[in-house]
Every structure is written in structure tokens, then in C-alpha cells.
Amino acid sequence: MKNNNLHANALIIGMLALIMSCGQAGKNGSNGALSGSIAEKVYIAPGERDEQYAFLSGGYSGNLTVYGLPSGRLFKEIPVFSQFPTSGYGYSEETKPMLNTSFGFIPWDDLHHPDISQTNGELDGRWIFANGNNTPRIARVSLSTFETEEIIEVPNSAGNHSSSFITENTEYVVAGTRFSVPVPQKDIPIKEYKSNFKGALTFISVEPEHGHMDIKFQLLMPGFNYDLSHPGRGKSHGWFFFSTYNTEEANTLLEVNASQNDKDFIAAVNWKKIEEFVNNGGGTKMASNYAHNVYNESTHTATSTIKKEVLTVNPADVPGAIYFLPTPKSPHGCDVDPSGQYIVGAGKLSANITVHSFDKMLAAIEAKKFDGDAYGIPILNYDDVLAGSVQSGGLGPLHTEFDGRGNAYTTFFISSEVVKWKLETWEVIDRKPTYYSVGHLMIPGGNSRNPHGKYLVAMNKITKDRYLPTGPEMEHSAQIYDISGEKMELLYDFPTHGEPHYAAGCNADLLVNNSKKIYRLDENNHPYGIKSPAEARVERDGKEVHIYMSTIRSHFTPDNIEGVKVGDKVYFHITNHEQDFDVPHGFSMIGQGTSEILIMPGQTKTSLWEPKKVGVWPFYCTDFCSALHQEMQGYIRVSPAQSDIQLSWSLDE
Amino acid sequence: MKRAGILMILGSMLLAGLFVFPMWNIRLGAPQYPEPLGIDIHVNGLRGESEFDIQNIDGLNHYIGMKTLPKPEDMWEFSVFPRIVGSMVFLGVMIGTLGFLQKISPIWFLIWFVVMSILGALGVYDFNLWLIDYGSDLDPDAILKLVNPDGTPMQYNPPLIGHKKLLNFDAYSYPRIGGILMGIGMLFTLMAYYMGRKFQLSTK
């Protein structure tokens, strides 16, 4: 009896100690149900600013969205591949060329994978790149203006999906094709897919000063589907890794026919070796047709050039540059850890995560231990390159990022969770549910040598009941987790715009001081810009009427215009003379077959109007610029086509 | 007397700081201007505290019918003041040097100080006249014509020194480094006089 009491006392004391220690752990800010207020961790008080930027892809919106972490507040939607009436992107005469392609003007795309430029494997905050998946394109967005500056079309590609990832000094932005196609395109039966279709992996060089892109070479790979990719870093810098599926080379009912092989491949590409080959005159020039569109910040105008040639490389011509690493079950994510040693392949139909070792891969190549080849490309032995396999307990791994403390975090679509596991021991440390069916995740800096392992954002594909219902269509949901402790902690849940397929993030201080406040009027070299209202005028050139107009709070100069005729093409070239932060003016004209334009201080934009009806028609400022915004308006008199009324213009006469 | 002479030279030379640094500053902050707009008043003209502040203040002032801020050529003060300051620096250094060499009595230090004080007072008087004119000589066609509770037109002159509320703006007017250096310099010349005088008395 006495003994039992002793035991009971010991038990009670033990439990007390446990409870107390839990309480203390909570006070110290570590994880668990007893930790301090979660709300405090995401609450950014009015007037305070977030710690980090998050750039989420908009998927089928074609745009990029900018959020703050940890608050989840939306700051901006940056138009990239889609016309955007909010600013007039793709509607203004200056930005229409940005959406030009070899197919003509394409007003939309499916934006997938943003990636921030790097120097020495760390984020440098100069640019963010993004891929258009549908009509293959790569865009470069300035992180000082947060505007799209350049778009290059990728020829011989289709479903530009294993893109737009960059090498660790931004030497290249890489674009791989998801769908293999005949290269060059030709009229052949679809059944002749096998061996006739090619998968182009495109290496686009990035000029270091201005970021201008140019296709250095295209590697014409076997006709698999190239799904995602990542650069080697540190010791593996110089290599690029691409996950593949449909190594079966099926051309119909892929959900079954491309899921037959037990293992597909991760393709390891030694791009330095191919670069050397190309620099020494290697490769074959192929006639091609693709658009290169560049926006010039000084003229505020984009130009589109059609390029006619691309340099292609046949893998057989560069022996020893490409190897296949067998990877189970149609791998999706292909992620490289901060050290560059581990290449993580997430077999999306698998329960486990496969991790390859870069060192073992080099050793196997050195020893020439191959297990056959595919179209002449050596296949390494699975067991020779395998570093380890994570017995996850989940189903459907997709994408892995890292915290810089030796841990990896993988999303599981089917089991709807994020799993934290340890590199090298491959043991699972923690798992947290997501809401619901997470696709990708993002740790700011996670795709670099130096991740900022504090927050993790999980981007989900399914929303269902998370928010107030908004009919059948809902925005996707995202969750923010605190990953600073041993266990992950769900902090917050917020809706995202479009379909975020991927994201990139960085510390706020990398960008805040470089963010432009205005464009300098004295540096405006737009051919139709005016530096002073005294230069405002209207000129006729046949059927074209050019209106050189200026804006300042709160009037247009001129604001009364006569002599315009039905059938004219009227170009409003509007220069915003403000030089004050956050004072745009807008412009719109009644019956205009295009969107309004929003003109930032010091900028010139052009809006086209084709008057169809006789009368006196108003225009107005669309941005609430000042207390007298409602007065910011003007009239244009439109006369019949045969009228002989001369052009005249005025302000306050 | 040597130390007094050095102090006199130093003090009058501090005035030359006005050629480098602003004398005075007026700052206008409002809810929508978390970074206030600022005018730096230099001896030879007005400059924006940030590059486009003058243009932006003029832009706002047009609503209430104020004139644009003067360019250097618009006000005689901006060409005369630098000459006066230059002359006073020259004279101060001369007097100090002669005092250092014990060629003149320290009473000249005091005379310099008094002349400088009178000129300074006139400058402040002139500055205040301009502020009042700038804030009250309004365009009759102004967009916003505001009146005080007693029916008189509202005036928008910033304070000579200190804080004043002007509609949604908080106006702050304070000396800047050029003006502060001038004040310290003048204090030095006054100290130079007392030191010189003490020396003179002790050697009698």
C-alpha cells in the first residue's frame, strides 16, 4: 500500500513537472498548444510593415501577386502575361508589344514559377523571373519598379513548365518543355510520337547589368515530359536537374499510359560543359521564329523583335554532359538542398521521397557504372546514386524546400499535408495538415544557399469551406506556418489570387530601399512625351491625330480639343508631370475600345481612341488624384469625316 | 588678448557655414505626407529638403491661391544676403587678426557683434514680412477660399519659429545647421569681447 502511494506520488510529481515544463516551453516561444498567442505572430499593427515579401504566381491569371509575410496582406498584382485594365498593361500602345509572340498578340498566359535573381547562390533582389506555361515565354520583372521589363518567347517548346529557374549567379534562366513536340514543327501523325518528338531544354543567358535575356542554346532531349527543374548550387553549381515523367512516351490517355514505368528520370545536365561546347562553335543553328520583347524604362515603351534563329544542341554531340537518375513514380518536384549535395525527387504517385546524392552521382559517372541508356544518354543505377529515401507516411509528395538548418519540408497533395524531415537521417520530424490538397510551398530564400527559415507558405489547390462561400468559384487558400521551432505551427490562412503554382520570397530589406517612388520627368525620353505644359499640342498626320497632353493636379492640358473627325485614329500621349510619390493620374475616353491607362509620375502612356460618332465627348481622370479629381475632365468635339474644321486645342481660354 | 583674437576669428568664420548649410527650415507634414515636405532656406535661395519638395509644395499651394515659392532671382535678399555675410566674415577675421596682434581694442569685437546683431534682426524682420506676404497675398480666384470664424480670409504663413497648424498640415519652422553655426559664432565673438576686455583691464 505504502509502495503504491509512493508510486502514485511520483507519477503526480512527474506529471506536474511535465505540465510545468510545457508551460515554460510556451513562454520561451517554442511550439505546442500551450504556446503564446498565435495571433501576435501574424499581427502587423496599423502602420507597421511586414518582415518579408512573397511573390506568388497567379497561374491562369497570368500575373504575379506580391504579399507581405507574416500578415498575408496583398500589396500588388503585377501584370506579366495578361492584359491588365487596372494599369493599361497590354492595352496602352507602349505595352502592347510586350504580349507579342510568333503567334501574334497573345493577351494571356498561365504564369507558374517565379524565381528571384541570385549572386553567389543568394538572393540579390534585382529581378524576378517567371514563365508563361501555355505559349512558352519567360518574363523578367524589375524589383525596383515591380513592372515587367522583358519577355522572351521560347521556340520548340510547348507547355513551358520546368521553368523559370535560375543558376546561382543568374548566368542562365532555364526553361524546359513539359510537352514534347516535333522539332522543328511539322505535319506528322500523332502516333509517330516515339523518337520523332523532342523535349527542348532552353538555357537563356541573362546579361548581368540590365538583365537582358538571349537564348544561348537549346538542348533537344528525348521526347519525355520535363516537369520541374532546379539548379545545382555550391558544389553542384554548373549542373541543372530536371524531373521527367512519361518516359513511356505515350501520346494518349497519359494518366494511365504515362504511369506504367516504375521509375522515370531526373535528368542531370552539366550546362557548363555544354556552354563550353557551344562557345567553341558547337551546336546547330536552326531556323526559328520567336519574339523578344523589351520594355525601356527611359522611353517608357516596349519594342518587339522577331528572332529567326536558335542554336540547338544534340545530346549525342556532347558526351558526358547528361545523365539520367532513375526516380520512382513520375517525379514532380526536383529540388536541391542549400549545400548542393542532395537532389530531392518527389514521385507524385509515391508515398516516399527519393533523395539522390550529388557526390554519389559523380562517383558513379567516374566509375562508368551505367544501367543502359535512353537515346544514347547514360542511365545511372538507382542504388548507386541514392542518398536515402524518406519513409514519409504520406501520399503524393510534390515539392520540397529547406530551412537552412538541415531540415526539408515536402508538400503532399493527396494526403494534404506538409511533412518536415531531416536531411541525412531521412527521418520524419513533424507533419501538419493543409487545407486542402497543397500543391507547392515556399520558404523565403528556400531556393538558395541561404534560406530564411522562419515562415513557410503552403499554397493549396482546393478551398471548399475555408472562407465565406462565394459561389462555385473560389480563390485558392494558403497557410502560413511558423517553422522556427522543432514542430511546425499553423499561424494563418489567407486567400490568394488566381492559382499560385509556386512562389518566391525574400527579406523586406532586400527590396525596400531600391523600390522606385517616381519616374524622373527629366529622364523621360518617350518620343511623344512633353516636359512642360507649354509643349502640349495636337497634330494631324493623315487620319492619325496625336494629342500631346500633360496632367498635373487637377487638370489635363489641353482639355478642350476640336477638329477631330469620325474615322480618325486618335492617340492620347499623356505625360504625368507630378514628381510626388503615389500620385498617378488615369485617363479614359467614352466609347473607347480599350482599357483606361494609369500613368505614374514622370511617365508617358498612350491610349488609342477611334471615334465613331459625331458629337462632343468627355474624357476624365480615372484615379482619385486630389480633392479636385472630379473636376479633372475635358471635352473633344468630333465632327463628320468630311468636315473642314481645323484642329484646335486650349486650356482655360 | 591672443586667445580672444582667435575666438573672434573662429566666431566670424563660423558664419561662413551659411554658404554651405541651410540657415532655416520649414517642414510641412500631414496625414498623407508621412515623409514631410521641407524647404531649406539657404542664404542664396530656397531648396527642397528632398529634390521635388519645392515643386510639390507649389502644387499643393495652388489650391489655396498662394504664389509659387521664390526663385533666387525673384528676391533681392538672395543676392544681397550672401554679400553681407561674406563682408561680415571678412571684417570679423580682419578685426580678430588685428586684435590677435594687439593692434586694436576689443571694443571692435563688440562693435562687430552689435552690427551683426542689427543685421540679423533686420534679416529676421524681413523674413517675417515675406512669410506674412506669402501666406496672405492670395489669388482671388483660388480654388479653396477659406475664412476664419470671424469672417476674415484665412492666412497660411508658416510660423517664424515653432509649430503652427495650417489646415491639414503641421508646419514646423526651426533654424538649421547654418543658422545654428551663425548663432554659436556670434556667441564666440561676444565671448571674445569679454575675454579681450578682461585682458585689457588686467594689463592696465
Side-chain angles (χ1 to χ4, degrees), chain A residues 517-518 520 522 552-555 577-580 583 626-628, chain B residues 32-33 35 37 51-53 55-57 59-60 62-63 143-144:
Chain A
K517 291 186 165 174
I518 58 163
R520 293 183 65 101
D522 58 8
I552 196 144
R553 282 165 286 178
S554 305
H555 59 273
H577 281 188
E578 306 284 354
Q579 293 284 269
D580 197 358
V583 188
S626 67
L628 292 142
Chain B
Q32 56 275 63
Y33 283 90
E35 284 175 36
L37 298 167
E51 191 181 353
F52 297 105
D53 281 2
Q55 174 183 336
N56 291 329
I57 290 168
L60 293 170
H62 101 280
Y63 289 116
I143 295 162
L144 289 170

Side-chain angles (χ1 to χ4, degrees), chain A residues 57 97 371 532 544 547:
Chain A
S57 86
D371 181 17
S532 142
E544 285 186 4
I547 301 174

Side-chain angles (χ1 to χ4, degrees), chain B residues 3-20:
Chain B
R3 280 195 298 172
I6 290 169
L7 200 60
M8 179 66 206
I9 294 169
L10 204 66
S12 44
M13 278 176 69
L14 282 176
L15 239 69
L18 288 173
F19 291 111
V20 187

